[in-house]
């Protein structure tokens, strides 16, 4: 079950934009994030949820998509995310500016929860942060960490094994299938101490 969800939890970048993701669903996903581990249990993460069409468009304009796909500027209208979660750190709620890996854990819970609900998403770290801050009137005390784009996926993503050339760049075939090369298990485990 978990293995299946993890396998299906790929980065999706094309969506059925007309399939709504309700605020209630986003709240359920944040409730999963809420329960993730947190360094010193400081729980510094805060979230802005957006399902509003116009605001979605404004958020979209601050994001960069799939850097390796040089000829693809990102999803066209109609294939854009139906919802966004902006992940913030409350800088008044961290010690020595240390958020650690809190947002990684939280996002994984959010995305696994999305996949379980037939949705999917993509973590976006390449953000014009100043523009996004202005657009959403985010107070300075909140650091913008990442944006999670969500929706009903409209693309097939498959996992391949990294080839002999060692190339880890994802790519899209002529049928539009998105391929993600992953390193093999044996390439990752550098020691097994028994
Ligand atoms: C911290 C982080 C930042 C990312 N930023 C972007 C981004 O700005 N734009 C994008 O299209 N994908 C982004 N991704 C998605 C990665 O490209 C994706 O995880 C990778 O290609 C592997 O694909 P997979 O998620 O299907 O395993 C990001 C992923 C992570 C974890």
């Amino acid at each position: 079950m978990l293995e299946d969800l993890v396998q299906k939890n790929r980065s999706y970048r094309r969506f059925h934009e007309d399939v709504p993701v309700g605020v209630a669903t986003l709240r359920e996903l944040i409730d999963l994030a809420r329960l993730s581990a947190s360094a010193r249990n400081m729980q510094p993460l805060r979230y802005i949820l957006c399902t509003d069409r116009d605001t979605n468009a404004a958020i979209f304009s601050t994001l960069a998509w799939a850097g390796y796909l040089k000829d693809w500027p990102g999803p066209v209208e109609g294939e854009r995310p139906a919802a966004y979660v902006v992940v913030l750190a409350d800088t008044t709620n961290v010690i020595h500016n240390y958020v650690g890996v809190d947002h990684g854990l939280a996002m994984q819970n959010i995305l696994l929860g999305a996949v379980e609900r037939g949705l999917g998403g993509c973590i976006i770290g390449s953000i014009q942060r100043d523009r996004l801050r202005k657009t959403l009137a985010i107070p300075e005390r909140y650091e913008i960490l990442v944006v999670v784009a969500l929706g009903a996926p409209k693309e097939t993503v498959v996992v391949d094994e990294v080839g002999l050339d060692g190339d880890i760049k994802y790519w899209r075939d002529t049928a539009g299938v998105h391929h993600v090369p992953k390193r093999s298990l044996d390439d990752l485990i550098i020691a097994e101490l028994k």
Side-chain angles (χ1 to χ4, degrees), residues 66-191:
Y68 290 145
L69 304 182
K70 296 292 176 209
D71 298 333
W72 188 67
V76 295
E77 260 181 64
E79 295 187 347
R80 291 180 182 165
Y84 292 95
V85 173
V86 182
V87 185
L88 309 167
D90 183 348
T91 57
T92 66
N93 210 253
V94 289
I95 297 171
H96 306 311
N97 237 357
Y98 184 72
V99 179
V101 298
D102 281 26
H103 47 308
L105 299 167
M107 286 186 296
Q108 187 74 351
N109 279 8
I110 289 171
L111 288 169
L112 288 173
V115 171
E116 194 182 36
R117 287 161 177 76
L119 303 170
C122 187
I123 298 166
I124 306 279
S126 182
I127 307 164
Q128 294 177 43
R129 285 179 169 74
D130 291 344
R131 281 190 54 221
L132 184 61
R133 183 179 294 285
K134 279 199 192 101
T135 300
L136 299 180
I138 299 171
E140 285 297 329
R141 73 181 265 196
Y142 299 108
E143 181 190 349
I144 299 172
L145 297 173
V146 286
V147 171
V148 185
L150 291 161
K154 195 189 173 184
E155 67 177 345
T156 304
V157 179
V158 295
V159 170
D160 300 332
E161 194 150 305
V162 169
L164 289 176
D165 60 4
D167 194 354
I168 47 68
K169 292 190 194 77
Y170 49 76
W171 58 284
R172 220 175 259 169
D173 67 24
T174 49
V177 173
H178 184 94
H179 293 256
V180 187
K182 293 289 185 190
R183 300 188 202 281
S184 73
L185 195 54
D186 286 336
D187 281 346
L188 300 185
I189 300 171
I190 60 164

Side-chain angles (χ1 to χ4, degrees), residues 46-61:
R46 301 290 181 270
Y47 304 92
I48 294 174
L49 315 182
C50 184
T51 59
D52 173 70
R53 208 181 155 78
D54 291 342
T55 316
N56 278 354
I59 294 172
F60 177 84
S61 76

